[in-house]
């Protein structure tokens, strides 16, 4: 219950895009979505000792938005880490090219003593 209340409180902090647009469509097929809705809407037929489990499953449905957002953030984090690696490699490559370029411009006594290749 506490987590659900916190999720409701955090809902106020969402941007308009987050409130209006879903992050992604469900990965379930249409008939699987219908089956899941039907199961959730039916009254539990379990024994009274199993009722808390059925209630827990219903409560988890309320956290669906949280898990979508959590997974979206994790995917973005992994994408940014890969992008950072790519940029670091590109940075090293550019630094090496710049070092070679500047070495070609350096004029010292040794360079002046060598024959001009031009």
């Amino acid at each position: 219950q506490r987590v659900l209340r916190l999720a409701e409180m955090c809902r106020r902090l969402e941007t308009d895009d987050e409130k209006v647009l879903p992050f992604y469509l469900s990965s379930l097929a249409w008939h699987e979505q219908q089956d899941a809705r039907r199961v959730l809407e039916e009254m539990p037929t379990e024994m009274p000792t199993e009722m808390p489990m059925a209630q827990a499953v219903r409560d988890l449905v309320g956290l669906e938005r949280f898990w979508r957002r959590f997974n979206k953030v994790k995917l973005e984090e992994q994408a940014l880490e890969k992008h950072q690696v790519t940029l670091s490699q590109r940075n090293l490559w550019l630094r090496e090219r710049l070092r070679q370029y500047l070495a070609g411009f350096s004029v010292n006594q040794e360079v002046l003593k060598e024959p001009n290749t031009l």
Side-chain angles (χ1 to χ4, degrees), residues 1-106:
Q1 291 297 332
R2 182 173 179 230
V3 172
L4 291 174
R5 276 193 314 243
L6 288 172
E8 290 172 5
M9 291 170 43
C10 291
R11 174 92 168 128
R12 288 183 242 145
L13 301 175
E14 292 178 353
T15 64
D16 290 337
D17 290 340
E18 291 172 335
K19 290 179 183 176
V20 175
L21 299 175
F23 293 110
Y24 56 86
L25 298 175
S26 176
S27 59
L28 297 176
W30 182 81
H31 68 280
E32 292 172 328
Q33 290 178 11
Q34 295 301 322
D35 290 343
R37 283 192 193 105
R38 181 181 44 77
V39 168
L40 289 173
E41 290 170 359
E42 289 178 356
M43 292 299 292
T45 58
E46 298 93 350
M47 300 294 290
T49 58
E50 296 174 333
M51 295 282 281
M53 184 59 153
Q55 184 60 40
V57 170
R58 284 190 177 82
D59 290 343
L60 289 177
V61 172
L63 293 173
E64 182 180 356
R65 183 179 297 130
F66 165 78
W67 287 114
R68 282 186 181 183
R69 294 185 75 196
F70 180 83
N71 290 334
K72 180 180 182 286
V73 169
K74 282 296 189 185
L75 287 172
E76 287 179 357
E77 181 182 17
Q78 289 178 356
L80 288 173
E81 286 173 358
K82 287 183 180 181
H83 189 63
Q84 180 184 17
V85 169
T86 302
L87 290 177
S88 295
Q89 292 171 347
R90 176 78 172 159
N91 188 24
L92 291 174
W93 183 82
L94 288 172
R95 286 178 183 266
E96 179 60 25
R97 296 303 168 266
L98 181 61
R99 187 190 62 75
Q100 291 173 359
Y101 180 75
L102 293 176
F105 275 109
S106 64

